Amino acid sequence: MKVLITGATGLVGQELTALLLSNGHEVNYLTGRKEAIKTEPNHKGYLWDVKKMTIDASCLQGVDTIVHLAGETVFQRWTDEAKKKIMDSRVNSTQLLLNALHDNKDSVKHVITASAIGIYPDDKNGHAMTENEVPPVAKNFLADVCLAWESMGMQFQELGLQHAIVRIGIVLSDKGGALEQMAKPVKMYAGAGFGDGKMWQSWIAVDDLVGIIKHIAMEKRTGVFNAVAPNPIRNRAMMEAIGKTMGKPVFLPNVPEFVMKLMLGEMAAIVLASQHVSSDTIEASGYEFKFPKLEQALQEYLV
Ligand SMILES: NC(=O)c1ccc[n+]([C@@H]2O[C@H](COP(=O)([O-])OP(=O)(O)OC[C@H]3O[C@@H](n4cnc5c(N)ncnc54)[C@H](OP(=O)(O)O)[C@@H]3O)[C@@H](O)[C@H]2O)c1
């Protein structure tokens, strides 16, 4: 395959690039930063400017599959300015790709776009949410972003391309992201749950996430796929499992919800969300998880 990746320099994109290259595939990627451009035989960077809506359309040459991951990080205070960046970076980058494909889609057959499980409504009961659960969507900014992003993505189908959406859970990795943030206080014996600690957290090992994206690409799958491990866990239990793996027990009481909201503002919605998301569809499609259990993923990324 020759794959064009957006967001290739990010946490997920770097792992996906490494996986594809090590399996003999070619990778082109789009970046907004000149200094991130590489020109290697099987790995080439191209510039785009999502704000100015410019793109080097030669990035599409010979590409059969696009994986669209780029977007401003949601892990920042949701000021009006940040919200605009988070939304625009996803909607406008998708529009840029659509514009480029409109003029030049000869070789491209398949597009995989990212979304997030933040689209699912809050539910502490542990009802396993399937891809058919939406609508209704959660009522917060993150869900609005996912919905806008997914709706834009549907336009790839109107161009006659095959299209898959990957609703990504909480990504666990040893190179930053959510696990690093959760492990930091635990390291200093200051780990605790949030709110009542009963929120369901649907996590995924980064190796499985990129494995799923590759699987969908190789098999030219279409439709919506949850990218979460088969065993979600409640928030307090997640923190205690991290503590156990690190040999630093979590014994402090949970940080109350109002404190989280004071500390993080509206963005607290991410850490206080409860989504028990089902992995049935991706498993039924033939994907076998490397890290189905949290303890296995924590051993891999924390020890
Ligand atoms: N990590 C998670 O737990 C998680 C969970 C659910 C969903 N997701 C989604 O999955 C995707 C990949 O996640 P990730 O953790 O790999 O993200 P990441 O590390 O923040 O990387 C995202 C990439 O997007 C590009 N980017 C950043 N701001 C941008 C902007 N304003 N306009 C255009 N491009 C921009 C950057 O590439 P350049 O600097 O090279 O341009 C960056 O490397 C994201 O869209 C994220 O929302 C992630």
Side-chain angles (χ1 to χ4, degrees):
M1 287 190 296
K2 184 165 179 180
V3 183
L4 172 67
I5 305 179
T6 77
T9 62
L11 182 80
V12 179
Q14 286 186 50
E15 296 292 332
L16 179 63
T17 302
L19 177 69
L20 292 173
L21 290 175
S22 69
N23 279 264
H25 302 290
E26 274 185 73
V27 174
N28 281 0
Y29 64 97
L30 280 162
T31 174
R33 294 171 296 121
K34 267 192 190 139
E35 66 276 16
I37 297 278
K38 277 185 194 163
T39 309
E40 290 161 6
N42 290 330
H43 187 205
K44 290 194 178 72
Y46 297 82
L47 272 179
W48 67 349
D49 186 327
V50 175
K51 258 192 184 162
K52 293 187 183 149
M53 292 296 279
T54 58
I55 183 167
D56 179 351
S58 54
C59 66
L60 288 170
Q61 265 171 22
V63 164
D64 44 82
T65 305
I66 298 177
V67 180
H68 180 30
L69 301 169
E72 175 81 21
T73 182
V74 300
F75 297 106
Q76 57 180 306
R77 241 178 201 273
W78 290 353
T79 59
D80 287 348
E81 192 191 347
K83 279 180 169 179
K84 186 168 163 33
K85 277 192 195 163
I86 292 167
M87 181 67 93
D88 288 358
S89 62
R90 289 175 172 78
V91 170
N92 296 347
S93 60
T94 310
Q95 188 60 56
L96 252 185
L97 283 176
L98 284 160
N99 295 351
L101 282 165
H102 209 268
D103 302 329
N104 179 12
K105 69 168 170 29
D106 289 352
S107 56
V108 179
K109 302 277 179 291
H110 193 205
V111 183
I112 301 167
T113 54
S115 180
I117 60 165
I119 198 165
Y120 292 116
D122 235 28
D123 174 32
K124 280 199 182 144
N125 294 326
H127 159 70
M129 295 179 201
T130 67
E131 289 78 354
N132 305 324
E133 220 75 26
V134 169
V137 296
K139 286 191 172 50
N140 61 47
F141 169 67
L142 196 57
D144 293 346
V145 172
C146 293
L147 199 61
W149 207 6
E150 291 194 8
S151 318
M152 282 291 298
M154 296 295 179
Q155 293 182 42
F156 291 109
Q157 291 168 37
E158 288 164 22
L159 283 178
L161 300 169
Q162 293 173 304
H163 178 226
I165 292 172
V166 182
R167 289 188 183 142
I168 302 172
I170 301 166
V171 180
L172 304 186
S173 152
D174 56 2
K175 299 191 182 73
L179 186 56
E180 185 178 87
Q181 293 310 317
M182 289 189 280
K184 254 184 210 167
V186 175
K187 209 173 187 175
M188 296 179 293
Y189 293 96
F194 306 135
D196 66 5
K198 292 186 178 153
M199 303 83 75
W200 283 104
Q201 302 200 307
S202 295
W203 57 276
I204 182 160
V206 70
D207 286 278
D208 277 318
L209 173 56
V210 299
I212 284 173
I213 295 173
K214 177 173 159 262
H215 167 80
I216 291 172
M218 295 292 289
E219 303 219 340
K220 297 276 179 280
R221 297 269 173 179
T222 59
V224 185
F225 298 89
N226 292 331
V228 294
N231 294 293
I233 187 166
R234 291 193 192 264
N235 165 261
R236 176 80 196 188
M238 162 82 95
M239 296 307 293
E240 287 176 359
I242 291 173
K244 194 172 169 201
T245 309
M246 295 173 80
K248 313 246 173 170
V250 167
F251 54 84
L252 292 176
N254 291 347
V255 183
E257 197 171 310
F258 80 93
V259 176
M260 297 302 296
K261 287 183 178 160
L262 277 176
M263 276 162 49
L264 303 174
E266 198 183 338
M267 195 266 261
I270 298 184
V271 281
L272 295 172
S274 181
Q275 284 123 355
H276 189 290
V277 177
S278 164
S279 59
D280 287 356
T281 305
I282 194 66
E283 288 186 274
S285 81
Y287 183 75
E288 274 183 41
F289 279 86
K290 266 169 94 176
F291 300 103
K293 298 235 167 84
L294 180 67
E295 291 70 23
Q296 299 168 316
L298 295 180
Q299 278 295 326
E300 178 74 11
Y301 300 130
L302 282 178
V303 179

